[in-house]
Amino acid sequence: MNSKKTIINFCPTGMVPTKLETPHIPISPSEIIEQTHEAYEIGITIAHLHARDLHGTPTYRKSVYQEIFEGVRKHCPDLIICGSSSGRNFPELHKRSEVIELQPDMCSLTLSSLNFQHQASTNSPDTILGLASKMKEYGVVPELECFDLGMINYGKYLIKKNLIEGPFYWNLLFGNIAGMQASFSHIGAALQDIPSDHFTSLAGLGENQLVVNGASIAMGHGVRVGLEDNIWFDQKGGKLATNKNLLLRVHEIMSLHSKQLFSPKELGELGFYNRKK
């Protein structure tokens, strides 16, 4: 959906960056809560949250997610919370779906298997359907994650079969080695495949984050921004980023294009708050 207002999807942690790579990555629940609160004060719409265990390793444990969600809700009461159901480290459906039982407003739903540079993420049709079914049961809106055009096609197939329900929000990721690249031809082809009344945010991975953020804001779409996707502030990799300075840069770009923030409350009231709480 093209809009004068920009959805900002804040992704502070992810599953890959470590403290050895950057001291700025939030790992513990308290760090994630604090940085999400700081981002909320600057201005974000959605928080896309991953959990880590005491050793900094990605975890699916509901107890860890619960601590994070409760802390974020305490300080950011109207923020749209999106939990991760990624299977990058744990493909089993029962593990990946634990977070759904906490009834976040949204939860990620990657729409096919894919390869990263050094790792595969397996998302079988049965797993995707299982996650989608559980999200519907718990009133959670799927965040439709797509790394290539086939994933977009599969998402539209699920919509056609009424296996997922609106409102619809697409998270399109560009720059992965085995997926769509951060070129205008790939971005244009992807956006052309999304129904015009659906909400869409674009993400650029690594050095592509700034390019994709700028293009998406200029075109009237949302952005995904944070250390999950990119730990560097400059494209040459000479200056480590923080979640704060990446977010402030997005707001600067929005200001240049006379765009306002799509507030959490505005988006939530369009059906993105959990419907069964």
Side-chain angles (χ1 to χ4, degrees):
M1 181 180 292
N2 189 290
S3 173
K4 293 181 179 180
K5 294 189 175 183
T6 302
I7 294 172
I8 299 181
N9 190 336
F10 178 62
C11 54
T13 303
M15 302 184 76
V16 177
T18 67
K19 289 287 190 182
L20 291 176
E21 294 172 310
T22 172
H24 306 303
I25 192 78
I27 296 294
S28 68
S30 61
E31 288 176 327
I32 294 169
I33 293 164
E34 180 180 352
Q35 291 199 28
T36 302
H37 184 205
E38 181 178 52
Y40 173 79
E41 292 294 321
I42 295 169
I44 57 175
T45 317
I46 302 167
H48 172 101
L49 301 174
H50 288 253
R52 304 281 187 99
D53 64 19
L54 294 175
H55 305 289
T57 303
T59 181
Y60 62 88
R61 297 289 183 188
K62 187 165 63 172
S63 58
V64 185
Y65 271 111
Q66 183 171 6
E67 183 178 355
I68 295 169
F69 291 173
E70 287 179 352
V72 170
R73 286 196 176 107
K74 177 181 178 181
H75 297 289
C76 319
D78 61 347
L79 183 63
I80 296 174
I81 293 177
C82 177
S84 173
S85 69
S86 173
R88 192 163 175 173
N89 288 40
F90 21 83
E92 301 92 341
L93 176 60
H94 72 277
K95 293 180 179 179
R96 296 174 62 171
S97 66
E98 270 198 26
V99 65
I100 298 170
E101 297 168 12
L102 294 171
Q103 295 184 286
D105 302 300
M106 301 178 71
C107 201
S108 64
L109 184 65
T110 305
L111 290 167
S112 186
S113 299
L114 69 149
N115 287 332
F116 295 105
Q117 189 167 2
H118 302 294
Q119 187 183 16
S121 175
T122 303
N123 301 284
S124 70
D126 285 347
T127 298
I128 295 169
L129 294 175
L131 289 169
S133 176
K134 194 164 184 177
M135 288 182 202
K136 183 184 287 191
E137 177 186 356
Y138 282 86
V140 175
V141 177
E143 179 194 51
L144 302 171
E145 285 200 341
C146 300
F147 290 80
D148 60 41
L149 296 181
M151 293 188 186
I152 297 174
N153 189 61
Y154 190 62
K156 292 195 293 185
Y157 167 81
L158 296 180
I159 293 169
K160 182 179 179 180
K161 295 293 186 180
N162 295 315
L163 296 170
I164 54 177
E165 300 175 346
F168 301 111
Y169 174 86
W170 300 80
N171 193 28
L172 308 181
L173 298 101
F174 299 88
N176 180 51
I177 190 67
M180 298 182 293
Q181 298 306 295
S183 65
F184 286 112
S185 59
H186 283 207
I187 292 171
L191 290 173
Q192 187 175 357
D193 273 0
I194 305 293
S196 61
D197 59 340
H198 293 189
F199 293 91
T200 309
S201 287
L202 277 59
L205 305 182
E207 64 182 13
N208 301 295
Q209 187 172 85
L210 177 58
V211 171
V212 175
N213 283 168
S216 190
I217 291 167
M219 290 186 291
H221 298 284
V223 297
R224 169 168 141 156
V225 64
L227 294 180
E228 172 176 354
D229 295 339
N230 171 41
I231 66 171
W232 300 103
F233 190 72
D234 61 328
Q235 289 183 308
K236 294 181 179 179
K239 179 183 177 181
L240 286 170
T242 66
N243 278 312
K244 180 179 180 179
N245 63 21
L246 289 174
L247 180 58
L248 287 172
R249 186 167 65 184
V250 163
H251 276 271
E252 290 174 5
I253 298 170
M254 288 167 56
S255 178
L256 289 171
H257 289 280
S258 300
K259 303 287 186 180
Q260 296 179 321
L261 177 70
F262 210 131
S263 76
K265 185 176 181 181
E266 288 174 314
L267 190 63
E269 290 178 348
L270 293 176
F272 285 88
Y273 287 141
N274 191 303
R275 293 157 287 184
K276 294 191 176 182
K277 287 181 181 174

